[in-house]
Amino acid sequence: MVAMKKKSVALAVSLMISMVQVLGGGVQPSKMTPAVYVFGDSTLDVGNNNHLPGKDVPRANKPYYGIDSPGSKPTGRFSNGFNAADYVAKNLGFDKSPPAYLVLKARSYLVPAALLMGVSYASAGAGILDSTNAGRNIPLSKQVIYFNSTKAEMVAKAGSGAVSDLLAKSFFLFGVGSNDMFAFAAAQQKLNRSATPDEVKAFYTSLISNYSAAITELYGLGARKMGIINVGPVGCVPSVRVANATGGCNDGMNQLAAGFDAALRTHMSGLAARLPGLAYSIADSYALTQVTFANPLAAGYANADSACCGGGRLGAEAPCQRGAPLCGDRDRFVFWDSVHPSQQSNKLGAKAYFDGPAQFTTPINFKQLANYKS
C-alpha cells in the first residue's frame, strides 16, 4: 500500500511538471497552505468561461484583457492582468491562482493540479442562485459538484487519508454574490418599481440558504478553511454610475449589497459554531472600496469612477475591446472595465485581506486563516 501511494505521488509530480510546461508559468511551493480551491464569479475566473459553449457566455478572451499579464495576452481573466484570486494565491506562496477546472479537464491534468496546487471553479456571470444568468455560467452549486467529482478522482489516485489531510489544510476561496445583486435590481427596474421589504428579505433568505448549502457541502467533503470575499458596493461600478445623470452611485443597490453582507456575516458566525473545526475569514470588500472612494489619492488612484478600458461617458457606454480608448496609467484607475477592478485594485485588496488593517477582515484575516490549526 505504501509503495502504491509513493508511486501515485511520483506520477502526480511528473504530471504536474508537464502541466506547468503546457500551461506556461511556474508554481512556487506554498509555505502556508498546500492548495487553493476557488469558487466564484468573474472577479476570480481564470478561464473557465473560455471553455463554455454559447454565444452569450461572458468571456475575457480578447484584447485589451490581459494587456498587463505575462505575454500581454488575454487569459480569461476580467482584468488588465492578474485578478483577486491570483493575488490571494500569491500571498499564500503560489505563483498565481490555480488553473481553471475546465482547462485542466480538457488537458487531463486535473488530479495532479488538485493535489499539488488546487483548482479554480470560478465562472464569470455566476451567482449564488442557479437562476442568475442561467445557462451562461457555472453557478456556485455546480462548482461545488465539480469539486466533489474532483475529490473523487483525487482519492482514487492518492487515497482518502492523504486527500482528507490535504483538504483540511487547504484554503477555500469564495467571491460571489454581485451578479445576484445586479439581476435582482434589473428585475425590479423592469417592473418599474422598488422591491418591498418582504421581497428583499426573501431574496436574502434564498441567497444565504444557497451559500450555506455550498459551504456546508464543502465542509462535508473535507474543507475547513474558508476565505470569503463579500459583495462590494455594486452601485458604484461605472456601468451603474453611467445611468445617473450626475455619475453618482446607486444608493439602493449599495444598500442591497450591504444588507446581504450583514446577513452573511451573522450566518457565518452561527455556522462556524455548528460545524466543528470550521475556520473562516470574511474579507470586507464593501468597506475597503468605500474607504478607497472616500480618498482615492491616498490609495494611489487618480480615478475612482471611470473604466480604464471602454468608451463613452465614464468609459461605460462601450465595451472594453481592441480599439477602445485605454487609459495611460492603468495602476491609477480603480476600475479596469465598466464592472471589474483593475489589476492594481486586486493587488491592494488581496493585501488588505491578507494582513491589512483589522477593519477589513472578520473574525481573522486570510494570513491567520491559512495558519489556523484546529
Side-chain angles (χ1 to χ4, degrees), residues 128 181 200-209 211-212 215 228 230-231 255-271 274 280 282:
I128 298 169
M181 304 295 147
V200 172
K201 183 178 179 180
F203 177 54
Y204 288 163
T205 298
S206 295
L207 292 174
I208 293 299
S209 175
Y211 215 153
S212 181
I215 289 174
I228 301 168
N230 73 5
V231 176
Q255 290 168 9
L256 187 69
F260 168 70
D261 288 342
L264 178 63
R265 190 164 52 248
T266 298
H267 183 78
M268 283 305 302
S269 178
L271 195 61
R274 298 194 299 272
Y280 73 95
I282 296 180

Side-chain angles (χ1 to χ4, degrees), residues 112-135:
L115 289 170
L116 297 176
M117 182 181 186
V119 180
S120 175
Y121 304 89
S123 171
I128 298 169
L129 303 179
D130 289 356
S131 58
T132 298
N133 301 320

Side-chain angles (χ1 to χ4, degrees), residues 172-234:
F172 285 72
L173 176 65
F174 300 82
V176 66
S178 295
N179 291 314
D180 301 286
M181 304 295 147
F182 289 131
F184 185 82
Q188 299 308 311
Q189 187 175 28
K190 195 172 183 179
L191 295 172
N192 196 30
R193 66 176 179 81
S194 298
T196 66
D198 283 346
E199 288 172 332
V200 172
K201 183 178 179 180
F203 177 54
Y204 288 163
T205 298
S206 295
L207 292 174
I208 293 299
S209 175
N210 280 36
Y211 215 153
S212 181
I215 289 174
T216 302
E217 185 169 350
L218 289 169
Y219 172 88
L221 291 169
R224 290 296 180 270
K225 301 180 181 184
M226 315 279 193
I228 301 168
I229 301 174
N230 73 5
V231 176
V234 292

